[in-house]
Amino acid sequence: MRLRPLSLVPLLLGLSACSFVVLDPAGDVAAQQRDLLVVSTLLMLLIIVPVMALTVFFAWRYRASNKSARYEPEWDHSTHLELVIWAAPLLIIICLGALTWAGTHLLDPYRPLARIKPGHDAAASAEPLQVNVVALDWKWLFIYPQYGVATVNELAAPVDRPIRFHITASSVMNSFYIPALAGQVYAMPGMETNLHGVINHAGVYQGFSANYSGDGFSNMRFAFHGLDQAGFDRWIAQAREGRTLDRARYLELERPSEKVPVMRFGQVDAGLWQAIVGLCVEPGKMCMGEMMAIDRRGGLGLKAVHNTAPLAYDKHARRGSAVFGVDDAFVLALCRPQDAPPKAGKAAEDRAPAFSAPTLGAGLSRISALERFDLGALAPAAAPNS
């Protein structure tokens, strides 16, 4: 019997390696989320603990061997008991609803920070640090547009300076999460999400993906450095010693890989971030914004029949195939419901329109250029594509 407590020693040793960063964060946003979690738990315990205690009490009080307990088989109602049973949970639900409503708005990840820590409002003149985050397979790319640098699997920010994250992904959905800083926000291809946060204590914290994304998911981690301003300036200076991150280099980096060491880039292609979000980093690839602008104007009609290849966003199937702007890819038929079916025996190749257009939306290389085109003149109005 005396040796039984010793069996708990391995359990205690295992718990000693646990990190309670969620309950002891280093950032004000994460601290407010911690407070919300603790208060909500305590409110629910106001119901749970009495119910569990009364369960044990009634089981002991009205046990079969207790002959002194009152036996009332005809009892069926008590107004006072009903008020307690229904009023107490209702009050708890009202309080939880108020906390949830306030927390949902005050801790909205898209909401700019009103304060950097308790008692210190965010200065209106202070420019937030902008970080563009790309979830790759299986690593993280961080672009600092204000400084013209980028890093892989390493992130840094000054203490007490608001941070504004712009988050996207290259392929599958991931979740960007630094428990010491703020809550998690999903990263999705072709979309941009936002997160605001601030780090209040210097140190090195862990960030990772909280959403399963394939074979290398478990190694999709990075270090987040909270630095004083002088330390952050030195970190930026070290990053500027790296090589250039252009589109060709990004396409190499985008390929699936695991356990990638820290990489730093001293220069970044100015249009790379928009191309990543628009899924059009590859040469000749039509950006999603260009495609949507064309659709908003009613399409390009017959001029666009050779533009189907640039609209295919399955990069794993087409990467390295030189399909963009080289091989022919076109719609075999354009029709309207009222059009007569083609004659029997006529080859599909003979029915294909003999138009040849550049791969960037029939010569539209940028969205701004699209606004200068008269799209009605590019395709006959009497023959819309379907």
Side-chain angles (χ1 to χ4, degrees), residues 19-25 30-31 33-34 37 177 179-180:
S19 174
F20 295 95
V21 64
V22 173
L23 298 178
D24 187 24
Q33 294 173 334
R34 183 269 319 275
L37 175 65
Y177 188 28

Side-chain angles (χ1 to χ4, degrees), residues 33-63:
Q33 294 173 334
R34 183 269 319 275
D35 295 342
L36 180 62
L37 175 65
V38 171
V39 172
S40 299
T41 302
L42 293 177
L43 282 173
M44 290 183 284
L45 287 177
L46 291 177
I47 293 296
I48 295 173
V49 171
V51 168
M52 296 178 67
L54 288 173
T55 300
V56 176
F57 171 76
F58 283 120
W60 174 81
R61 179 72 176 81
Y62 296 102
R63 66 192 186 278

Side-chain angles (χ1 to χ4, degrees), residues 291-327:
M291 179 176 63
M292 289 186 286
I294 291 172
D295 290 342
R296 186 171 63 249
R297 292 291 192 89
L300 291 177
L302 299 180
K303 284 281 187 180
V305 295
H306 281 269
N307 290 333
T308 57
L311 301 182
Y313 293 100
D314 185 358
K315 64 175 180 292
H316 296 298
R318 294 186 179 273
R319 180 64 49 76
S321 62
V323 71
F324 299 117
V326 178
D327 297 338

